[in-house]
Amino acid sequence: MPTVVRMPEVLANAGEGVIQTWLVSEGQEVAVGDPLAEIETEKAVVEYVAEVAGIVGRLIVEAGSTIAVGEPIAVVLTAGEADADIDSAVLDGASVSAAPAPDRATVGAAGPAAEPNGRRLFATPLVRRLARERGIELESVKGTGPAGRIVRRDLDRLPVPERIDEEQPESTPAPAAESTEPATGFTDIPLTAMRRAIARRLTESKTTVPHFYLTADCRVDDLVALRRSVNAAAAVKVSLNDFVLKAVAGALLEVPDANAIWNGDSIRRYDHADIAMAVAVDGGLLTPVVRSVDTTPLSVIAAQTADFAQRARDGRLRQHELEGGSFSVSNLGMFGVAEFSAILNPPQSGMLAVGGAIQRPVVDDGELKVGTVMTVTLSADHRVIDGAVAAAWMAAFVRRLENPLTILI
């Protein structure tokens, strides 16, 4: 029987999504794990992949359509099934619409568009908007995405053309009218779906979750030296943040009461450390989750975090990569920030705000010296983590960061 593909709940609390771009066409063969579409939600643009193998029998909705979670979006046929089987496909009592699929060449800005020269351009709405804002003609851009699709990095590599203002005809200036508006100008920027989601979730977190904070200074001279030695021989460069993730994971395993989330009527404690890393993107923030950091080698962590950061900025994260985790790390040290505190991302009960590794005067055995110090602040959910537990976790984390060889063992 044909498989009805329905709009997934690609992110927590998402009730609907937009089919931004179809990455397959009708009649195309797909395997499990092949990307089917890019879906835009209030938090991100993510790739949705096939969960069954077969042939794409019908794309039910057009690119650019807003679809509620659970509604049918496509049908996948197995060997021997014909197009006529699609109309009889039923899932949970809902028949698949028999309306013909849209002409892919006329889908519009969200999919392929037919250019005057006959070339079909594949670009996401974000890319088309950026191209308009930057004055870039898309037909002159070579796409490096799947099937030659133009993606954001293709635009970022191009110089922004200078815009020449058209000459305005001379005219007699009209007398200035009296205005009751203030002299200072301003611009109202409409909220994006991502910004609305951030505003809602962080407001809920700050007003409903009882935060408390612990701050500690870490001497990281040895860590900086170890990282330099590791990178001298490593194929993949390791960042200080990769060491921080490993130290966080080790501390969570040492203090298991901190490796837990608020679960409504229970507290869920985890056996491994899945840690979300904050990545700044245009207009917001994404938190892909690095799995089993406690058992994953540092070099693998480094490769994965670099990949996550790049794909987050390109809008190519997948749904499962943004789900789960018991703890988050937000690092603003690369921006010159000395210290800050973060708002928790429920249901996670802990988040570590990491400042920069900065040289400061320190006292060592009664002598004043110059040392490299990193200030970290733990935000904790008091419903899950008590003060003594948070203090024990912070001590375990600082101990690992100040004795970095323990991170590698």
Side-chain angles (χ1 to χ4, degrees):
M1 187 172 182
T3 299
V4 180
V5 180
R6 296 178 177 271
M7 173 62 77
E9 188 174 2
V10 293
L11 290 171
N13 300 322
E16 62 183 17
V18 177
I19 303 293
Q20 188 183 83
T21 308
W22 283 110
L23 303 178
V24 294
S25 56
E26 292 181 1
Q28 179 177 333
E29 186 174 350
V30 294
V32 175
D34 286 350
L36 296 179
E38 287 182 340
I39 298 178
E40 180 181 1
T41 71
E42 58 186 16
K43 282 282 286 182
V45 176
V46 297
E47 282 188 353
Y48 179 52
V49 301
E51 297 178 358
V52 295
I55 297 173
V56 179
R58 180 171 298 170
L59 302 179
I60 299 173
V61 298
E62 296 185 9
S65 303
T66 300
I67 309 297
V69 168
E71 290 298 310
I73 58 175
V75 179
V76 176
L77 302 173
T78 58
E81 292 178 328
D83 187 74
D85 296 319
I86 295 176
D87 297 333
S88 62
V90 176
L91 187 63
D92 295 334
S95 297
V96 175
S97 169
D103 180 359
R104 294 287 287 159
T106 59
V107 166
E115 297 297 321
N117 61 7
R119 179 188 173 199
R120 299 177 75 193
L121 295 176
F122 289 79
T124 64
L126 173 63
V127 167
R128 294 181 180 277
R129 177 175 62 79
L130 291 176
R132 287 195 300 270
E133 293 174 353
R134 300 178 185 181
I136 297 173
E137 297 293 337
L138 283 179
E139 59 265 23
S140 65
V141 180
K142 182 178 180 181
T144 61
R149 185 160 47 95
I150 301 172
V151 294
R152 178 168 184 168
R153 62 174 176 269
D154 298 324
L155 299 186
D156 292 340
R157 284 196 287 260
L158 299 176
V160 179
E162 295 183 4
R163 297 192 178 185
I164 303 175
D165 295 332
E166 296 181 2
E167 252 185 55
Q168 300 296 327
E170 293 184 6
S171 59
T172 304
E178 290 187 9
S179 174
T180 57
E181 295 293 326
T184 303
F186 60 87
T187 302
D188 290 331
I189 301 173
L191 294 177
T192 62
M194 180 184 292
R195 180 51 57 185
R196 285 196 296 270
I198 290 173
R200 185 188 71 250
R201 284 184 56 79
L202 293 187
T203 299
E204 290 174 357
S205 174
K206 194 65 173 176
T207 56
T208 64
V209 177
H211 290 57
F212 73 98
Y213 308 94
L214 276 71
T215 299
D217 289 333
C218 311
R219 285 286 303 275
V220 293
D221 302 85
D222 292 342
L223 175 62
V224 171
L226 177 61
R227 175 186 175 239
R228 190 180 301 116
S229 299
V230 168
N231 282 340
V236 177
K237 299 304 180 185
V238 179
S239 69
L240 286 179
N241 200 58
D242 298 325
F243 279 98
V244 168
L245 289 174
K246 288 291 290 182
V248 166
L252 287 173
L253 268 290
E254 181 176 331
V255 186
D257 285 345
N259 192 24
I261 65 170
W262 180 253
N263 203 31
D265 56 357
S266 64
I267 293 175
R268 177 174 297 170
R269 186 180 298 168
Y270 290 98
D271 298 328
H272 292 281
D274 295 345
I275 302 173
M277 53 173 281
V279 180
V281 298
D282 284 350
L285 187 75
L286 295 177
T287 52
V289 179
V290 186
R291 311 288 175 181
S292 299
V293 179
D294 52 307
T295 58
T296 304
L298 185 64
S299 58
V300 177
I301 295 294
Q304 189 169 359
T305 56
D307 175 61
F308 274 163
Q310 186 59 55
R311 288 196 290 118
R313 298 183 183 106
D314 290 343
R316 295 187 293 112
L317 290 175
R318 295 179 176 175
Q319 61 179 81
H320 67 277
E321 295 170 332
L322 294 161
E323 299 170 348
S326 62
F327 199 97
S328 292
V329 171
S330 179
N331 191 336
L332 294 179
M334 67 287 293
F335 297 106
V337 174
E339 66 176 286
F340 67 105
S341 57
I343 300 175
L344 287 169
N345 182 25
Q348 296 175 5
S349 59
M351 189 169 194
L352 190 69
V354 182
I358 301 171
Q359 287 195 330
R360 305 179 193 172
V362 297
V363 177
D364 190 356
D365 290 334
E367 295 183 6
L368 187 62
K369 298 180 180 179
V370 175
T372 306
V373 179
M374 177 185 288
T375 300
V376 295
T377 301
L378 171 65
S379 303
D381 182 348
H382 217 322
R383 297 172 301 179
V384 179
I385 301 176
D386 292 326
V389 172
W393 182 90
M394 182 67 88
F397 170 79
V398 173
R399 186 167 58 251
R400 282 167 170 77
L401 220 60
E402 294 189 337
N403 300 277
L405 284 175
T406 61
I407 297 174
L408 302 180
I409 299 174

